[in-house]
Amino acid sequence: MCARPQRVSADVGKRDAILEKLAAFILAEGLEAATLRAMAKAAGQSDRMLLYYFADKDEIIAEAVTLLAGQLTAILAANSVPQKLRKDPLHAHLDGVVLSDEVWPYLRLWLDLAARAAREDADLSAVAQGLGQGFHQWIESQLATTDPDLRRKEATHIMIGLEGIVVLRAVGMQDLVRELL
């Protein structure tokens, strides 16, 4: 296998702009719609031009999801608590974040990634695991608990509860969750 040629800075800028469009497409339409032809159309490119900038469809999806993870991280940072909280108050705060319309498209994509990982899609499984670990670490960073082992367990409990909320919303049962808020 030969190495890919180095791209000039103009190519890098164009590649980044294309990647932004691809990420927006995947966020809006989901992974199922992410065929090479559909992504090329969304990016205003030909299939061949996408393959000039990216090795293959898997690379496009991995990089687009990584870009989207960065966007979600920024949204979560904007929704961070001003001071660390105990488990239950933090969970209550994050319930509202998870149910927000701003975060929902990212969580819908997360469900898609998790389902594909469950079907043992090796490439997406690694991406999903990285995203899950990042989210877990972010939850841990918001907790006031000083004992590291307990903080990790509390973050896991919160994450499990939040995932339940995501699943309930996905199947149209968010009213059940809102009753608890």
Side-chain angles (χ1 to χ4, degrees):
M1 178 179 209
C2 61
R4 295 187 64 169
Q6 291 284 50
R7 305 284 184 222
V8 295
S9 62
D11 280 353
V12 172
K14 185 165 183 177
R15 183 183 191 278
D16 290 347
I18 291 169
L19 184 58
E20 288 278 345
K21 290 177 182 176
L22 295 169
F25 173 78
I26 290 171
L27 186 63
E29 303 299 327
L31 294 172
E32 191 68 32
T35 64
L36 196 57
R37 182 163 292 162
M39 289 188 295
K41 183 177 178 183
Q45 302 293 316
S46 68
D47 300 10
R48 296 182 104 187
M49 282 309 293
L50 280 188
L51 295 176
Y52 170 78
Y53 290 107
F54 303 94
D56 55 24
K57 178 183 165 186
D58 291 337
E59 181 182 41
I60 292 169
I61 290 173
E63 289 194 33
V65 169
T66 300
L67 178 65
L68 293 168
Q71 292 172 3
L72 179 57
T73 299
I75 293 168
L76 293 175
N79 284 283
S80 292
V81 292
Q83 60 186 7
K84 294 177 187 253
L85 296 175
R86 292 280 180 214
K87 178 185 170 196
D88 290 339
L90 179 61
H91 196 190
H93 170 75
L94 294 178
D95 287 350
V97 173
V98 165
L99 287 170
S100 75
D101 290 338
E102 180 182 26
V103 173
W104 179 243
Y106 296 91
L107 296 180
R108 192 177 56 228
L109 179 60
W110 166 251
L111 283 175
D112 199 359
L113 283 168
R116 288 168 183 262
R119 288 191 301 271
E120 300 178 5
D121 181 321
D123 293 328
L124 291 180
S125 183
V127 171
Q129 185 176 32
L131 292 173
Q133 288 171 342
F135 188 53
H136 190 274
Q137 289 168 356
W138 180 79
I139 294 169
E140 277 189 76
S141 76
Q142 303 295 298
L143 281 165
T145 309
T146 56
D147 178 283
D149 291 332
L150 181 57
R151 186 175 54 246
R152 182 171 173 77
K153 287 177 184 176
E154 287 180 347
T156 301
H157 283 272
I158 291 171
M159 190 168 177
I160 289 167
L162 294 174
E163 293 298 330
I165 290 170
V166 171
V167 170
L168 288 173
R169 180 168 180 182
V171 298
M173 298 175 64
Q174 64 269 22
D175 289 344
L176 186 64
V177 175
R178 290 193 193 280
E179 290 175 12
L180 299 174
L181 298 178

